[in-house]
Amino acid sequence: MEIHVRWESEMRRLNKKSSWLWPSLGAVSLGCTVLLLFGLGWALKDAWAPAAGIALPSATPQPAASSGDWADKRELLVTAVGDSLTRGTGDASGQGYVRGTVERLAKGLGKPVKLVNNLGINGLEASNLAIRLDDEGYKGALSQADLLLVTIGGNDLFHVAQNGGSLVDGGDIDAALLQKRLVGLKPRLETVFRKLRALNPNARIVYVGLYSPFYDVPALRESVGAVIDEWNGYARRLADADGGITVVPTYDLFETDVARYLSSDHFHPNADGYARIAERVAQSLL
Amino acid sequence: MANQLALIQNETLKVWKKKRFAVVVLILLVLVPVFVYAQMKIAQNNQDKFVDWRAELRQRIIDNTNALSSDRVPEEWKKWRVALVQQLQYDLDHDVNPNTPNAVTFTNSFLRNAVGMFIPLMVLAIASDLVSSERSTGTIKMLLTRPVRRWRILLSKLITLTLYVSLIIVATAAVSYLVSGLVFGYEGWREPVFVGFRLAGSDIDTADVHAITQGAFMLMLMGLVWFSAMVVAILAFMVSVLVRSTAASLVTMMAAVISGAILSNMASSWKSAKYLFNVNLDLTVYLQGSPPPIDGMTLGFSLAVLGVWAIAALVVSFAVFTKQDILN
């Protein structure tokens, strides 16, 4: 009995001390519960019986690069697009030739050079790139750049020539097959150049020519070399027709000491190899 | 009925006097600024590195695409990345910035990250000793000797718990909005966000995708977070009925919640884990259509699993509480 009385008086004390507390606390927490139940119901309705959705603000137009001399511009925008060479695969420091080129350009021009995007995707072929260039998201990055750096084609060539096995030995490259299919691959490059130019009429485009990673494999030196030569020559002719495209040769960089400039996969350049490509590209622009 | 209301009032005030809710708010006030600061650093870094948000979004898409080609990435993660790439691509194609730094988007991402761990822990602070504390302090006898039926007493505790869970969710959203707004600005309620992506095999179906405002998105997130928080609260409530010691009840529930977070992250190939309540807690993934932790989980499935666990816990709680002998 005594315990009862104590409890009662304790509760009375608690309630009296806070006559305002219970009404406000009760009302607020009840309000919160109702709000959250409403949110839950709305979420379920939206997931199971979706409404039309709100109207979107109209898209802002993609920024376009201005024409005119680089000397007149306050800063230079660069976009790199292409395959694993653009990505920088094989470079332990992750720089690749793109960062190297941007740094050298900034130094040489004495003004800020900004990389908009590095759109390099490992294993990308020219045919996939052509599809990606139609993508709305890609367009903005390409149209606003003053300089486009492009590497493409290597995967096209070596994928069609590969008949299984490891690339490192070079033994699985069928040079005769490569020569035969080369004709069919050329239009892919033409499409890429055409689309890039359509997206950005004012940019200078630099195409990094292909090199042969198999120069030190005697069985392939001549045959692969001839294919690479023809591809680069074809790129050169397209570039000349355009007038704003530069093809930077790189095949000579990987002939004397292959092991020193190629990474351990015997296909991609290593950090030193990329640095030499970057040097070349910068030289062609400065 | 009036009797019941008085009981609820009594319970609510008891929890309030224990200052548990004050502790929750205090923790929020300490932690949220830390997250806001981290978010601000990321935003600054992106501003230095990228010409605009589109460039940043494009780079995210490309980086994730490249990660997909790596053989080292497990299949389940690839699926998650494919979904992410397609969602980001959708944003980019429709020229909608998914991460404008403002208080509303910050709150939304905070809610999504808090649902698995942070919110459950806050809820446990209140739920874990709701019944067990009465026993360890001996006040349970006073409570049960009142001329009120036992189930009414337990019900009043359950309703009190519900009210406090609601308060915690709303307080979390409010603190995170108010604090992050100081840095990022308080706008952003009307900005669009895409919901309704559906997983179809390894691809994403965009047929049902539609835009809602970030404000509506926040309300939906809060509702879903509330549901999973309630399930954690009810389970903790049951444990608190079963276990005498508050510490034991707290540790049991914490272990359950944390193991759920670990299981979800293990990209589980143990399919039947999807019937555990703790891998189903993150209901927010379904709103936008991110892949769930285990194949075959859907919003309906997770709601059902959580619902069954909660109902079972309620049955056990009431059965035990009304029958059990109170020995000392």
Side-chain angles (χ1 to χ4, degrees):
Chain A
M1 202 52 213
E2 193 208 345
I3 227 170
H4 252 193
V5 175
R6 234 175 55 200
W7 193 75
E8 297 275 357
S9 69
E10 169 72 10
M11 270 343 283
R12 254 201 309 278
R13 199 176 55 81
L14 202 66
N15 289 351
K16 210 168 74 190
K17 226 173 86 182
S18 44
S19 55
W20 55 272
L21 183 59
W22 165 241
S24 46
L25 187 60
V28 169
S29 57
L30 190 66
C32 289
T33 309
V34 171
L35 179 77
L36 292 167
L37 277 172
F38 173 73
L40 178 65
W42 197 3
L44 299 187
K45 193 206 152 274
D46 194 84
W48 286 328
I54 59 166
L56 293 175
S58 55
T60 46
Q62 304 280 16
S66 57
S67 57
D69 217 20
W70 282 6
D72 306 331
K73 293 188 177 175
R74 205 163 41 79
E75 71 167 4
L76 216 59
L77 296 180
V78 181
T79 295
V81 65
D83 52 24
S84 50
L85 292 187
T86 300
R87 189 77 202 159
T89 305
D91 182 352
S93 69
Q95 294 277 307
Y97 88 96
V98 175
R99 282 263 162 229
T101 304
V102 167
E103 277 163 19
R104 283 173 174 80
L105 276 183
K107 221 178 192 175
L109 293 169
K111 64 174 84 182
V113 177
K114 213 160 184 183
L115 181 66
V116 178
N117 275 130
N118 181 338
L119 301 173
I121 294 179
N122 288 329
L124 192 71
E125 295 187 15
S127 48
N128 305 120
L129 179 58
I131 298 169
R132 281 181 177 267
L133 289 181
D134 293 331
D135 195 292
E136 281 306 316
Y138 258 61
K139 285 180 182 169
L142 297 163
S143 63
Q144 71 186 114
D146 301 299
L147 169 66
L148 297 176
L149 300 174
V150 187
T151 65
I152 200 71
N155 293 309
D156 300 67
L157 288 185
F158 293 111
H159 282 176
V160 298
Q162 228 178 316
N163 41 22
S166 151
L167 260 183
V168 177
D169 315 322
D172 57 340
I173 294 289
D174 187 339
L177 194 64
L178 191 58
Q179 189 68 46
K180 211 171 76 193
R181 300 238 173 113
L182 185 61
V183 186
L185 297 178
K186 281 178 180 172
R188 294 184 181 181
L189 187 65
E190 197 268 330
T191 313
V192 168
F193 280 2
R194 186 163 38 78
K195 284 193 173 174
L196 284 176
R197 186 47 83 202
L199 281 174
N200 191 334
N202 297 319
R204 173 144 284 276
I205 300 175
V206 170
Y207 177 72
V208 178
L210 299 186
Y211 60 87
S212 167
F214 307 115
Y215 192 79
D216 58 343
V217 182
L220 292 172
R221 187 181 301 147
E222 216 175 327
S223 49
V224 172
V227 172
I228 299 283
D229 222 31
E230 194 176 336
W231 178 271
N232 287 340
Y234 177 68
R236 205 34 233 283
R237 283 197 292 285
L238 291 176
D240 286 347
D242 179 88
I245 303 179
T246 307
V247 177
V248 174
T250 56
Y251 55 88
D252 55 328
L253 299 177
F254 300 95
E255 288 183 356
T256 39
D257 195 350
V258 173
R260 209 173 130 200
Y261 296 110
L262 285 187
S263 71
S264 52
D265 64 5
H266 206 282
F267 195 71
H268 297 107
N270 59 17
D272 291 337
Y274 278 120
R276 293 181 112 195
I277 297 178
E279 191 65 48
R280 275 277 163 89
V281 174
Q283 277 170 359
S284 77
L285 292 168
L286 291 170
Chain B
M1 196 56 214
N3 201 350
Q4 188 70 52
L5 200 63
L7 279 172
I8 296 169
Q9 170 181 1
N10 184 14
E11 291 296 334
T12 310
L13 291 176
K14 268 200 289 190
V15 174
W16 186 266
K17 300 277 160 170
K18 277 197 264 180
K19 299 218 165 42
R20 287 296 157 80
F21 184 66
V23 169
V24 170
V25 173
L26 200 67
I27 291 173
L28 282 169
L29 284 175
V30 172
L31 278 184
V32 170
V34 175
F35 296 133
V36 169
Y37 183 75
Q39 189 64 46
M40 193 182 74
K41 282 280 158 207
I42 294 172
Q44 276 174 356
N45 181 36
N46 285 342
Q47 216 162 25
D48 294 343
K49 285 235 170 82
F50 295 103
V51 290
D52 61 0
W53 65 265
R54 293 178 193 86
E56 184 198 334
L57 201 55
R58 264 189 304 264
Q59 205 60 54
R60 266 182 85 190
I61 294 173
I62 291 289
D63 291 347
N64 279 295
T65 310
N66 272 301
L68 281 175
S69 65
S70 166
D71 290 331
R72 276 187 52 251
V73 180
E75 280 310 312
E76 288 88 351
W77 292 9
K78 278 190 185 171
K79 209 180 217 169
W80 187 81
R81 273 183 202 273
V82 168
L84 180 70
V85 164
Q86 296 191 15
Q87 284 173 7
L88 293 176
Q89 189 71 50
Y90 199 89
D91 288 328
L92 190 58
D93 290 349
H94 292 79
D95 205 33
V96 167
N97 184 356
N99 301 313
T100 37
N102 61 47
V104 182
T105 48
F106 177 87
T107 305
N108 286 350
S109 73
F110 184 65
L111 281 172
R112 276 189 297 185
N113 289 314
V115 63
M117 276 276 228
F118 187 73
I119 301 266
L121 290 184
M122 294 301 106
V123 167
L124 292 184
I126 286 173
S128 279
D129 68 342
L130 214 50
V131 180
S132 57
S133 69
E134 303 266 9
R135 243 183 286 155
S136 44
T137 57
T139 45
I140 188 110
K141 284 183 199 156
M142 302 178 210
L143 208 56
L144 295 182
T145 46
R146 307 222 66 208
V148 190
R149 306 191 55 180
R150 279 189 183 192
W151 66 266
R152 280 183 172 271
I153 290 176
L154 198 62
L155 183 64
S156 70
K157 283 186 179 289
L158 181 64
I159 292 173
T160 300
L161 183 57
T162 308
L163 294 178
Y164 273 103
V165 168
S166 305
L167 276 181
I168 289 174
I169 308 287
V170 172
T172 306
V175 169
S176 114
Y177 176 73
L178 292 174
V179 173
S180 64
L182 290 175
V183 178
F184 299 121
Y186 291 104
E187 315 85 53
W189 291 99
R190 306 196 63 80
E191 274 179 33
V193 56
F194 289 111
V195 293
F197 295 91
R198 299 219 190 289
L199 283 175
S202 61
D203 218 20
I204 290 276
D205 176 13
T206 56
D208 283 337
V209 174
H210 56 284
I212 56 174
T213 59
Q214 291 277 7
F217 190 53
M218 188 196 283
L219 201 54
M220 292 183 192
L221 285 175
M222 284 166 71
L224 292 171
V225 170
W226 178 82
F227 188 86
S228 47
M230 269 316 290
V231 175
V232 173
I234 288 170
L235 287 164
F237 186 66
M238 175 190 76
V239 173
S240 147
V241 170
L242 298 177
V243 180
R244 254 182 94 96
S245 133
T246 302
S249 123
L250 190 65
V251 167
T252 310
M253 280 311 292
M254 268 172 66
V257 167
I258 291 170
S259 62
I262 295 172
L263 268 180
S264 310
N265 278 335
M266 284 171 107
S268 187
S269 47
W270 172 34
K271 298 273 186 233
S272 15
K274 67 182 174 183
Y275 297 107
L276 297 174
F277 84 91
N278 43 16
V279 286
N280 284 290
L281 284 180
D282 190 359
L283 296 172
T284 63
V285 294
Y286 302 113
L287 264 190
Q288 288 199 290
S290 312
I294 299 171
D295 247 1
M297 287 165 60
T298 61
L299 178 58
F301 176 86
S302 285
L303 288 174
V305 169
L306 292 177
V308 168
W309 277 84
I311 289 168
L314 285 179
V315 170
V316 172
S317 309
F318 277 89
V320 171
F321 191 76
T322 47
K323 300 256 163 58
Q324 82 188 151
D325 296 323
I326 304 296
L327 304 164
N328 190 23

